[in-house]
């Protein structure tokens, strides 16, 4: 089979992995710019790495996966030389920042890992490749191989795959919970040990300097959003993960245990999860502040931060001229950049609405929640107006989509469909009325 | 520049200069020295309107150096950095905007740079941001072709970004030879034998690409088209992240700007089919 065909097959079978893993770290002598996107594909996702599988042969039979052994499809494998050279030539032409390598399980987990290590070894030592490498460990492979992989890659990851053990047993019967969490623990420990070695001996080989990440599939199993973000929060704390990626399940194979083939991927839900994840990592939110046992699923119309604000009106208005950075961050319409700029700018004079606007605050949203040198909002802001300003217009571009396929908890009303309304403006009006009355 | 009292009054005069940064600094000198705020500052080749007096400012490196030295001294290092970046940007009337900023900063000191909401500072900061964002974009979006072992690329940026991306590519390709040709500003960043320099060049004729180069281009296009997930297609999102003005120089999408304008033959040459 020629290289073009192999590339096509092995890209196709790798692409459902959602992560845009461009975040890098500066290795000595390596020039990985943080967050450098080299292109964007037609689905709007960042391309920074050559994302392929080593092979799509697989001895496992995970129900949700196109590469599962019981699925009939064309199979192939790169040779390590082939893939190393392709990566290098793409990198030279500035097409990519590096390689994102994962694989189906061929022969055995250890054999597969050895093939992957071979690619990384050729790249680093024969081609003197200084770009970024993200490699996925194969569940069930030996700790020694995980270690060798980590010494060649910038980032390694172990996928949790599904948000609970029950779902894992049901949908990925060959993967045991233990086979996922023990390498995660190992990587966390190796990283810590490596940090200490580096203190003593500067030239010690570095172990996955960009840390570890993980990924889970959303919408193939019945967990609530609350369960998912609590799991993510726990993993951030316990295994020092750099990122958790959420990947909307795209039906690729027919199975009675899975959503039907024509089900639309839960993109809005995935979007909300990333927003919540961001709030936990960057804004200091706790998972219980975002969702709870009583409201276990996201509000489709409001992003999680606005949703929190609307439900915690007693915390506002915030005085932009005196409030702490953390408090500013909680205001809808003020992001990390504008919050930091506010703190700098107010040292040199009090801030009014005009200054805030020039700083980049989204006043349309923020105005109901802030107090400035020239304006104090009324004690009880008009609910309807506030809601109208906060509604996430993106909701409508995601089209009709159920937030959770297994939603039995009483959630917000479903989105207005194209049959109910004539235009987005009308849809917004409907939503405003419905939300304002339920607050 | 001790001894100057930088207070100026608007004057019906237009300064013209040679377009260099030193030339511009001499305009600043002139304004501070005469105490007048010109109506506009233009490059000599952009012929100004005639209603105003036109004064041609001669570039004098000694004067320029005095102004340059005065900025970190009387204002701050940050002010000099901002001034240089904005001068490379495509901000309309950038010379006058920078002059106005400097005149105030000489009086108010370095803290003016941090009045982020100030009407004289905000446009400079956003011009700086625009340039830095474009430079950042290009670090990813530039496409090189291998021509006989050397890497060559062409760009059409809005700002004069070469000085801002040079270090990035020198580090990335320290063992290679490469050239980035900026068609907009008619200049090229050339790196060979471990040395980088920016040259003024009107035109660069790129040689025909080899068979192996064509193969990698085809492989890349194939990867690009395959990696997108159909059920998630979102052209608007792609456009926000990767504005269309970059597409003409990116081989995986250039065909979408001028559909079917060119096609790679198996032999490797690009032929126009229009
Ligand atoms: S082990 Fe990986 S490639 Fe194989 S079926 Fe499971 S998810 Fe797919």
């Amino acid at each position: 089979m020629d290289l073009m065909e192999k590339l096509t097959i092995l890209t196709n079978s790798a692409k459902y992995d959602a992560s845009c893993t461009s975040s890098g770290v500066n290795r000595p002598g390596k020039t990985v710019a943080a967050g450098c996107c080299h292109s964007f594909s037609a689905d709007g996702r960042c391309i920074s790495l050559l994302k392929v599988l080593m092979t799509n042969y697989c001895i496992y039979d995970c129900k949700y996966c196109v590469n599962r052994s019981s699925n009939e499809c064309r199979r192939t494998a790169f040779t390590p030389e082939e893939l190393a050279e392709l990566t290098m030539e793409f990198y030279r032409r500035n097409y990519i920042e590096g390689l994102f390598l994962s694989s189906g399980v061929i022969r055995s987990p250890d054999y597969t890992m050895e093939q992957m290590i071979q690619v990384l070894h050729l790249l680093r030592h024969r081609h003197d490749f200084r770009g970024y490498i993200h490699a996925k460990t194969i569940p069930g492979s030996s700790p020694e191989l995980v270690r060798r992989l980590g010494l060649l890659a910038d980032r390694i990851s172990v996928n949790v795959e599904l948000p609970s053990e029950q779902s894992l047993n049901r949908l990925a019967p060959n993967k045991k919970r233990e086979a996922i969490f023990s390498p995660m623990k190992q990587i966390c420990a190796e990283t810590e040990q490596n940090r200490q070695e580096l203190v003593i001996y500067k030239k010690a080989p570095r172990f996955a300097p960009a840390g570890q990440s993980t990924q889970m599939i959303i919408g193939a199993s019945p967990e609530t959003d609350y369960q998912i973000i609590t799991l993510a929060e726990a993993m951030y704390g316990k295994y020092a993960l750099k990122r958790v990626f959420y990947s909307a399940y795209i039906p690729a194979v027919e199975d009675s245990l899975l959503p039907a083939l024509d089900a639309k991927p839960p993109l809005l839900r995935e979007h909300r999860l990333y927003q919540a994840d961001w709030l936990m990592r960057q804004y200091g939110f706790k998972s219980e502040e975002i969702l709870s046992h009583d409201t276990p699923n996201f509000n489709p119309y409001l992003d999680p931060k606005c949703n929190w604000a609307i439900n915690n009106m007693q915390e506002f208005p915030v005085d932009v001229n005196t409030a702490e950075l953390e408090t500013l961050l909680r205001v809808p319409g003020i992001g990390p950049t504008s919050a930091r700029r506010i703190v700098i700018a107010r040292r040199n004079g009090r801030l009014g609405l005009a200054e805030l606007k020039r700083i980049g605050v989204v006043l349309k949203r923020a105005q109901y929640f802030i107090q400035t040198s020239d304006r104090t909002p009324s004690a009880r802001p008009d609910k309807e107006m506030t809601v109208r300003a906060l509604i996430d217009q993106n909701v409508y571009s995601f089209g009709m989509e159920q937030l959770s396929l297994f939603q039995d908890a009483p959630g917000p009303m479903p989105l207005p469909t194209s049959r109910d309304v004539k235009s987005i403006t009308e849809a917004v009006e409907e939503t405003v009325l419905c939300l304002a009355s339920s607050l | 520049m001790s001894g100057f009292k930088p207070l100026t009054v608007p004057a019906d005069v237009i300064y013209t200069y040679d377009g260099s940064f030193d030339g511009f600094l001499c305009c600043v000198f002139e304004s501070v020295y005469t105490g007048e705020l010109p109506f506009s500052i233009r490059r000599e080749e952009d012929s100004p309107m005639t209603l105003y007096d036109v004064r041609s400012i001669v570039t004098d490196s000694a004067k320029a150096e005095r102004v340059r030295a005065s900025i970190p001294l009387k204002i701050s290092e940050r002010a000099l950095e901002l001034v240089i970046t904005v001068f490379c940007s495509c901000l309309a009337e950038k010379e006058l905007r920078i002059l106005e900023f400097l005149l105030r900063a000489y009086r108010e000191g370095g803290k003016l740079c941090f009045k982020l909401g100030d009407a004289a500072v905000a446009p400079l900061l956003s011009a700086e941001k625009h340039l830095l964002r474009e430079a950042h974009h290009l670090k990813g979006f530039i496409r090189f072709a291998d021509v006989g072992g050397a890497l060559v690329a062409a760009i059409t940026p809005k700002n004069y970004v070469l000085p801002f991306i040079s270090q990035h590519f020198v580090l990335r390709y320290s063992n290679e030879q490469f050239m980035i040709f900026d068609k907009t500003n008619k200049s090229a960043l050339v790196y060979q034998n471990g040395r980088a320099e920016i040259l003024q060049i009107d035109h660069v004729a790129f040689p025909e690409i080899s068979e192996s180069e064509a193969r990698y281009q085809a492989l890349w296009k194939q990867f690009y088209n395959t990696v997108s997930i159909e059920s998630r297609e979102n052209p608007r999102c792609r456009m926000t992240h990767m504005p269309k003005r970059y597409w003409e120089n990116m081989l995986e999408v250039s065909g979408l700007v001028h559909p079917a304008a060119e096609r790679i033959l198996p032999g490797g040459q690009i032929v126009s089919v229009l």
Side-chain angles (χ1 to χ4, degrees):
Chain A
M1 193 183 290
D2 77 348
L3 191 55
M4 183 67 85
E5 224 180 323
K6 281 190 184 180
L7 179 65
T8 314
I9 294 176
L10 295 171
T11 304
N12 252 322
S13 36
K15 72 182 179 187
Y16 294 102
D17 245 21
S19 35
C20 154
T21 35
S22 53
S23 62
V25 61
N26 289 318
R27 297 173 74 124
K30 318 247 161 181
T31 57
V32 181
C36 189
C37 286
H38 285 253
S39 195
F40 286 85
S41 48
D43 55 15
R45 291 189 305 162
C46 163
I47 302 179
S48 64
L49 304 173
L50 172 61
K51 183 151 93 183
V52 288
L53 296 189
M54 187 77 222
T55 176
N56 65 341
Y57 284 108
C58 196
I59 54 173
Y60 287 173
D61 202 35
C62 309
K63 303 245 178 303
Y64 48 82
C65 176
V66 271
N67 305 318
R68 65 184 200 168
S69 57
S70 59
N71 190 32
E72 256 178 62
C73 63
R74 294 198 65 193
R75 311 256 174 187
T76 184
F78 283 120
T79 67
E81 289 75 17
E82 224 166 39
L83 184 54
E85 189 175 327
L86 185 67
T87 308
M88 192 60 205
E89 291 299 329
F90 274 15
Y91 180 79
R92 284 186 71 224
R93 288 165 176 76
N94 207 40
Y95 299 163
I96 53 169
E97 207 51 41
L99 175 67
F100 184 162
L101 185 58
S102 177
S103 185
V105 186
I106 187 166
R107 291 196 216 166
S108 72
D110 277 358
Y111 177 82
T112 314
M113 282 280 270
E114 273 160 12
Q115 291 280 302
M116 295 167 69
I117 290 171
Q118 181 77 30
V119 177
L120 270 51
H121 185 85
L122 284 172
L123 270 172
R124 294 287 193 220
H125 299 291
R126 183 188 295 173
H127 295 284
D128 193 23
F129 175 72
R130 290 184 285 169
Y132 185 85
I133 298 178
H134 178 169
K136 290 217 156 145
T137 62
I138 304 296
S141 55
S142 69
E144 178 47 30
L145 294 177
V146 173
R147 187 180 146 72
R148 278 173 56 201
L149 192 74
L151 287 171
L152 290 163
D154 291 274
R155 167 173 286 181
I156 48 181
S157 56
V158 188
N159 282 1
V160 280
E161 308 286 14
L162 295 162
S164 76
E165 191 172 2
Q166 297 91 296
S167 300
L168 199 64
N169 290 340
R170 223 159 47 101
L171 298 175
N174 309 94
K175 289 184 184 158
K176 294 286 161 261
R177 186 176 184 278
E178 187 49 25
I180 290 166
F181 285 103
S182 80
M184 220 183 244
K185 206 187 276 163
Q186 184 200 343
I187 295 166
C188 181
E190 298 259 12
T191 313
E192 185 48 45
Q193 193 193 335
N194 187 238
R195 194 171 302 137
Q196 294 170 6
E197 283 165 8
L198 283 167
V199 174
I200 303 164
Y201 179 51
K202 257 217 183 99
K203 290 220 172 86
R206 303 193 65 188
F207 185 87
Q212 66 166 325
S213 63
T214 191
Q215 187 197 288
M216 54 182 133
I217 302 165
I218 301 309
S221 51
E223 291 78 14
T224 63
D225 297 329
Y226 180 54
Q227 274 172 292
I228 294 169
I229 61 170
T230 334
L231 173 63
E233 188 179 45
M235 287 191 299
Y236 279 126
K238 201 161 168 198
Y239 304 110
L241 293 188
K242 282 286 186 321
R243 285 296 304 272
V244 174
F245 293 98
Y246 310 89
S247 143
Y249 175 66
I250 297 167
V253 275
E254 187 97 64
D255 195 295
S256 57
L257 293 175
L258 288 168
L261 271 184
D262 57 359
K264 286 182 81 183
L267 297 182
L268 176 57
R269 187 175 179 208
E270 180 193 281
H271 181 63
R272 290 277 177 264
L273 281 165
Y274 277 113
Q275 288 176 319
D277 188 270
W278 184 247
L279 289 182
M280 297 195 291
R281 287 183 301 122
Q282 304 286 329
Y283 289 73
F285 276 79
K286 299 261 165 298
S287 61
E288 314 85 67
E289 290 181 284
I290 301 170
L291 292 170
S292 67
H293 278 295
D294 303 331
T295 39
N297 292 308
F298 290 114
N299 186 329
Y301 312 104
L302 297 175
D303 71 50
K305 186 170 153 184
C306 291
N307 194 45
W308 178 85
I310 285 254
N311 287 304
N312 290 275
M313 283 311 265
Q314 73 282 1
E315 309 279 333
F316 299 102
V318 161
D319 184 344
V320 292
N321 283 299
T322 57
E324 300 278 326
L325 186 71
E326 300 80 70
T327 317
L328 288 171
L329 281 173
R330 299 226 161 190
V331 177
I334 299 185
T337 316
S338 35
R340 272 194 301 274
R341 294 170 129 217
I342 288 174
V343 173
I344 297 172
R346 71 187 180 194
R347 287 190 210 128
N348 299 298
R350 293 180 62 75
L351 304 177
L353 288 178
E355 282 81 14
L356 289 180
K357 191 165 184 181
R358 283 191 216 114
I359 280 172
V361 172
V362 187
L363 286 180
K364 181 178 164 253
R365 293 171 161 234
Q367 57 177 332
Y368 304 100
F369 302 93
I370 53 174
Q371 185 178 333
T372 60
S373 63
D374 51 357
R375 187 170 164 280
T376 318
S378 55
R380 305 204 55 211
D382 182 347
K383 262 187 199 165
E384 205 179 303
M385 265 174 38
T386 319
V387 168
R388 177 171 293 117
L390 294 187
I391 279 204
D392 182 1
Q393 302 264 346
N394 277 327
V395 142
Y396 306 101
S397 68
F398 280 102
M400 242 246 303
E401 169 199 312
Q402 253 179 295
L403 216 54
S404 166
L405 278 165
F406 302 88
Q407 201 167 47
D408 37 18
M413 298 190 16
L415 294 178
T417 70
S418 50
R419 257 173 289 123
D420 306 336
V421 287
K422 287 186 200 70
S423 65
I424 288 200
T425 348
E426 203 173 306
V428 172
E429 286 315 310
E430 290 242 325
T431 319
V432 168
L433 292 177
C434 142
L435 277 180
S437 62
S438 68
L439 278 178
Chain B
M1 303 225 308
S2 57
F4 288 135
K5 205 197 253 155
L7 273 173
T8 54
V9 284
D12 289 344
V13 60
I14 291 176
Y15 292 174
T16 61
Y17 73 112
D18 62 3
S20 70
F21 187 57
D22 275 4
F24 166 67
L25 291 178
C26 292
C27 298
V28 176
F29 189 95
E30 178 78 9
S31 162
V32 173
Y33 185 70
T34 58
E36 68 192 4
L37 180 67
F39 174 75
S40 175
I41 304 176
R42 308 274 170 88
R43 300 158 71 104
E44 266 139 26
E45 61 256 39
D46 310 332
S47 62
M49 295 172 285
T50 46
L51 274 177
Y52 293 86
D53 287 343
V54 174
R55 189 175 321 146
S56 160
I57 307 294
V58 183
T59 302
D60 172 338
S61 54
K63 278 185 191 168
E65 192 42 46
R66 280 175 65 189
V67 178
R68 186 201 302 270
S70 75
I71 298 175
L73 206 68
K74 300 209 152 176
I75 312 172
S76 63
E77 292 285 350
R78 166 70 183 128
L80 182 60
E81 177 191 76
L82 181 65
V83 165
I84 292 175
T85 315
V86 174
F87 186 76
C88 293
S89 78
C90 60
L91 176 68
E93 292 280 354
K94 63 186 180 193
E95 295 90 349
L96 195 61
R97 297 280 94 79
I98 301 173
L99 175 63
E100 284 165 346
F101 164 77
L102 282 173
L103 292 174
R104 274 191 52 198
Y106 279 132
R107 283 192 293 167
E108 297 175 32
K111 67 173 194 294
L112 182 61
C113 298
F114 299 99
K115 288 197 176 165
L116 310 184
D118 187 283
V121 184
L124 301 197
L125 291 175
S126 71
E128 178 188 48
K129 206 164 109 191
H130 182 258
L131 179 145
L132 294 178
R133 172 173 308 157
E134 185 173 50
H136 177 74
H137 272 150
L138 283 170
K139 285 177 192 170
F141 296 161
I142 287 182
R143 295 287 171 264
F144 288 94
D146 181 320
V147 177
L151 300 169
V152 295
I155 54 174
T156 41
K158 285 189 176 163
N159 301 285
Y160 180 55
V161 291
L162 284 182
F164 299 85
I165 58 176
S166 154
Q167 199 203 3
H168 170 85
F169 286 107
V170 166
L171 279 173
R172 183 180 172 110
Y173 297 125
S174 53
N175 300 323
E176 306 257 6
Q177 299 188 5
F178 71 86
M179 177 182 72
I180 301 170
F181 176 49
D182 175 346
K183 290 189 198 167
T184 320
N185 297 289
K186 307 246 180 295
S187 38
L189 169 67
V190 179
Y191 176 82
Q192 51 189 351
N193 309 323
R195 268 193 64 230
E197 55 186 333
I198 296 177
L199 309 169
Q200 303 305 314
I201 303 180
D202 278 350
H203 181 73
V204 175
F206 288 103
E208 271 179 12
I209 59 172
S210 68
E211 203 168 311
S212 91
E213 175 60 30
R215 193 169 88 103
Y216 282 115
Q217 293 193 0
L219 283 164
W220 168 243
K221 274 195 195 168
Q222 178 70 3
F223 174 74
Y224 177 82
N225 292 327
T226 313
V227 83
S228 174
I229 296 176
E230 258 170 54
S231 56
R232 301 184 61 135
E233 212 138 279
N234 191 343
R236 232 191 27 206
C237 180
R238 166 164 74 179
M239 204 99 84
T240 338
H241 290 300
M242 188 167 74
K244 246 195 167 139
R245 65 194 177 88
Y246 295 107
W247 292 18
E248 59 173 302
N249 298 313
M250 302 176 72
L251 65 108
E252 66 272 29
V253 281
S254 58
L256 302 175
V257 191
H258 315 288
E262 51 185 36
R263 182 162 63 92
I264 299 176
L265 284 188
Q269 319 96 306
I270 298 181
V271 291
S272 172
V273 292
L274 276 185

